[in-house]
C-alpha cells in the first residue's frame, strides 16, 4: 500500500491547522484553516500570527513552552477571532514539528460546530412536536373565531359611535389571529421536498428579485458568488422560501434600508452524520449577511426553535420553518450574530452525478 504524500495529508486534514516559525510567523496554512478563518494562504503566509489572530490565551508563552519542552500543549475554551467575525470558542493544540526545534504546529478545534450540531438535532425534534400541536390548535381555534367575527359584524349593523368602534376592534383582532393561525398551519403543512439537481445561484436570484420588488425595495443586495459551485439536490420552491425568509429578516433588522450581502463558497471540511450512520458532506455554503443590530443574546441559542422571536409581534415560526426545510434537505443552518453583523449560513450537499 502506497502512503499519500505529506502535502496530500496536509490538504485533506479537516481540522484548521497552521505552521508557526521561530519568529511566530505563519509558515503554512491548510485549506480547512483558510475556510474557518476566511483568510487565504497568501494573506497569512509570513505574517505574525499574533497580529492576524485575536486569541484569549497567551500564544507567545504557549509556543515558548512547546519549543522548550518538545511536547504538545492543550488549551481549552479560548475565544478566537480574526476581527472580521464574532469570536468562536475553540480548543487549541500546539505541538513541535518532528526534529525541528522551532516550528510549531497549531491546531484549532472549533467547539461551536459540535455544539450547534447537537442543537440542530434538538431543534429538529422540537419542530416535529410543535407541528402536531400547531395543526391541532389552528384547526380548533379558527372555527369559533369565524363565529365571533360574524357575530360582531351583525351587531355593528345597529350600533354607532363608541360601540361601533368596539365591534370593529373585535373584527380586526379576530382577523389578525386568523392570519396568525394560517401561518401556523403553513408551518405544519410543508410537503416533503421534491428533490432534483438545482443550481443554488438560480434559486438565490429568484429570491433576490422577489425581495427587490417587495420588502427589499429600498435595500442594497450585493452578490459574491462562487460560479464554480456544482448543483445541490433540493426543492427549488422550498429553498426559495428559505432564502426569502432570511432576506426578509435581514431587511426588517435594518428597517428596510441598508445592505444585505449574499455569498456562496465551497467548504469541503463540513460533514454531518445521518440517521443511518453514514457521513454526509455539506460543501455548498450560502451566507446571508446583514448589518443590523444583531440577535438578542438571550434568544441567540434558540433562534431556530418554534415560537422564539426577537421581533415585537413576531410569530417565531419563520426561522423554525427555515430550519425544518433545511433539515429535510439533509443540510445544516447556523448563525453568527454580533451588533452590526449577522450571518446566517446554510450548508447543503452536492447533487449526485447522473450515471
Amino acid at each position: 500500500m502506497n502512503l499519500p504524500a505529506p502535502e496530500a495529508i496536509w490538504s485533506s486534514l479537516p481540522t484548521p491547522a497552521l505552521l508557526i516559525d521561530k519568529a511566530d510567523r505563519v509558515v503554512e496554512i491548510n485549506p480547512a484553516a483558510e475556510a474557518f478563518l476566511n483568510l487565504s494562504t497568501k494573506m497569512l503566509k509570513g505574517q505574525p500570527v499574533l497580529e492576524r489572530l485575536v486569541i484569549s490565551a497567551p500564544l507567545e508563552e504557549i509556543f515558548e513552552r512547546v519549543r522548550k519542552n518538545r511536547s504538545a500543549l492543550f488549551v481549552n475554551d479560548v475565544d478566537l477571532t480574526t476581527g472580521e467575525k464574532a469570536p468562536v470558542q475553540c480548543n487549541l493544540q500546539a505541538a513541535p514539528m518532528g526534529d525541528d526545534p522551532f516550528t510549531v504546529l497549531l491546531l484549532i478545534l472549533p467547539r461551536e460546530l459540535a455544539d450547534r450540531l447537537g442543537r440542530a438535532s434538538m431543534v429538529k425534534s422540537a419542530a416535529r412536536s410543535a407541528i402536531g400541536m400547531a395543526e391541532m390548535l389552528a384547526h380548533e381555534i379558527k372555527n369559533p373565531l369565524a363565529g365571533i367575527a360574524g357575530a360582531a359584524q351583525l351587531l355593528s349593523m345597529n350600533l354607532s359611535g363608541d360601540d361601533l368602534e368596539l365591534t370593529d376592534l373585535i373584527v380586526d383582532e379576530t382577523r389578525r389571529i386568523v392570519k396568525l393561525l394560517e401561518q401556523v398551519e403553513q408551518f405544519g403543512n410543508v410537503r416533503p421536498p421534491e428533490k432534483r439537481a438545482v443550481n443554488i445561484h438560480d434559486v438565490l436570484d429568484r429570491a433576490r428579485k422577489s425581495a427587490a420588488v417587495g420588502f427589499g425595495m429600498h435595500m442594497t443586495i450585493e452578490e459574491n458568488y462562487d460560479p464554480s459551485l456544482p448543483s445541490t439536490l433540493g426543492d427549488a420552491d422550498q429553498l426559495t422560501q428559505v432564502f426569502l425568509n432570511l432576506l426578509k429578516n435581514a431587511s426588517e433588522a435594518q428597517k428596510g434600508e441598508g445592505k444585505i450581502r449574499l455569498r456562496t463558497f465551497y467548504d469541503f471540511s463540513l460533514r454531518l452524520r445521518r440517521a443511518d450512520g453514514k457521513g454526509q458532506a455539506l460543501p455548498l455554503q450560502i451566507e446571508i449577511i446583514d448589518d443590523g443590530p444583531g440577535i438578542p443574546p438571550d434568544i441567540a441559542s434558540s433562534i431556530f426553535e418554534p415560537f422564539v422571536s426577537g421581533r415585537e409581534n413576531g410569530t417565531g415560526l419563520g426561522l423554525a420553518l427555515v430550519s425544518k426545510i433545511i433539515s429535510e434537505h439533509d443540510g445544516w443552518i447556523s448563525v453568527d450574530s454580533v451588533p452590526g453583523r449577522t450571518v446566517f449560513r446554510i450548508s447543503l450537499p452536492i447533487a449526485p452525478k447522473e450515471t
Side-chain angles (χ1 to χ4, degrees):
M1 176 180 176
N2 294 325
L3 294 176
E7 294 82 4
I9 297 174
W10 177 256
S11 297
S12 301
L13 192 66
T15 302
L18 298 89
L19 290 181
I20 310 300
D21 69 9
K22 62 180 180 181
D24 292 343
R25 293 187 299 254
V26 178
V27 177
E28 194 58 74
I29 173 175
N30 73 339
E34 287 185 289
F36 173 68
L37 299 172
N38 197 23
L39 293 171
S40 67
T41 299
K42 184 177 180 181
M43 293 176 66
L44 275 178
K45 203 168 182 177
Q47 297 294 312
V49 67
L50 297 174
E51 291 183 9
R52 300 313 302 263
L53 303 183
V54 180
I55 300 178
S56 61
L59 273 188
E60 287 179 309
E61 180 182 337
I62 291 169
F63 295 155
E64 182 180 348
R65 288 175 60 184
V66 169
R67 292 177 181 124
K68 180 180 179 181
N69 299 329
R70 305 297 299 152
S71 62
L73 189 63
F74 299 83
V75 184
N76 294 327
D77 302 332
V78 302
D79 291 329
L80 183 150
T81 180
T82 60
E84 299 293 326
K85 56 188 290 188
V88 175
Q89 194 168 70
C90 303
N91 297 335
L92 303 180
Q93 295 184 15
M97 279 296 292
D99 296 329
D100 188 327
F102 301 113
T103 303
V104 173
L105 171 65
L106 177 65
L107 297 178
I108 302 171
L109 309 170
R111 289 192 56 187
E112 64 162 1
L113 185 58
D115 293 344
R116 285 180 178 170
L117 290 178
R119 206 156 55 229
S121 177
M122 289 188 291
V123 166
K124 191 171 182 179
S125 176
R128 288 197 194 101
S129 300
I131 287 170
M133 181 182 70
E135 290 177 323
M136 179 190 70
L137 286 175
H139 178 74
E140 294 297 327
I141 295 173
K142 281 178 71 177
N143 289 335
L145 279 176
I148 292 170
Q153 287 173 322
L154 286 173
L155 286 172
S156 68
M157 296 171 65
N158 299 313
L159 298 175
S160 60
D162 292 342
D163 292 335
L164 184 60
E165 249 182 70
L166 289 173
T167 55
D168 288 344
L169 177 63
I170 293 171
V171 172
D172 289 342
E173 285 300 292
T174 53
R175 285 175 176 167
R176 183 181 66 82
I177 296 171
V178 167
K179 187 176 180 181
L180 170 61
L181 292 173
E182 287 172 348
Q183 293 180 33
V184 171
E185 286 183 319
Q186 180 190 23
F187 175 70
N189 291 330
V190 174
R191 58 175 171 76
E194 298 177 6
K195 297 180 184 179
R196 55 178 58 89
V198 174
N199 184 321
I200 203 66
H201 297 135
D202 290 343
V203 179
L204 281 168
D205 284 340
R206 180 176 162 190
R208 178 186 57 78
K209 288 174 183 177
S210 179
V213 297
F215 57 81
M217 186 179 299
H218 303 294
M219 302 291 298
T220 300
I221 302 179
E222 294 183 352
E223 302 167 5
N224 180 12
Y225 293 164
D226 179 350
S228 67
L229 288 190
S231 296
T232 189
L233 190 65
D235 185 313
D237 290 339
Q238 290 193 15
L239 290 175
T240 300
Q241 184 178 5
V242 164
F243 297 134
L244 273 173
N245 192 299
L246 294 176
L247 285 170
K248 187 176 182 181
N249 280 0
S251 175
E252 290 177 347
Q254 299 177 89
K255 303 188 184 303
E257 295 182 358
K259 184 187 296 183
I260 300 173
R261 292 179 291 281
L262 303 177
R263 177 174 176 245
T264 65
F265 59 99
Y266 194 89
D267 180 359
F268 55 81
S269 65
L270 180 60
R271 296 181 67 87
L272 286 183
R273 186 168 296 278
R274 300 186 306 194
D276 60 7
K278 296 180 180 178
Q280 172 75 61
L282 304 177
L284 306 185
Q285 313 299 321
I286 306 99
E287 291 185 342
I288 292 89
I289 307 165
D290 71 67
D291 302 325
I295 298 170
D298 58 324
I299 65 169
S301 63
S302 54
I303 195 65
F304 295 112
E305 295 179 14
F307 311 115
V308 175
S309 176
R311 297 198 312 272
E312 186 178 357
N313 298 322
T315 64
L317 294 177
L319 288 177
L321 179 60
V322 164
S323 176
K324 178 176 182 288
I325 291 174
I326 294 302
S327 292
E328 291 180 346
H329 280 73
D330 299 318
W332 180 56
I333 182 168
S334 64
V335 61
D336 273 317
S337 185
V338 293
R341 180 179 170 86
T342 296
V343 182
F344 281 91
R345 180 190 286 195
I346 291 171
S347 306
L348 293 171
I350 295 175
K353 293 181 180 179
E354 295 184 3
T355 55

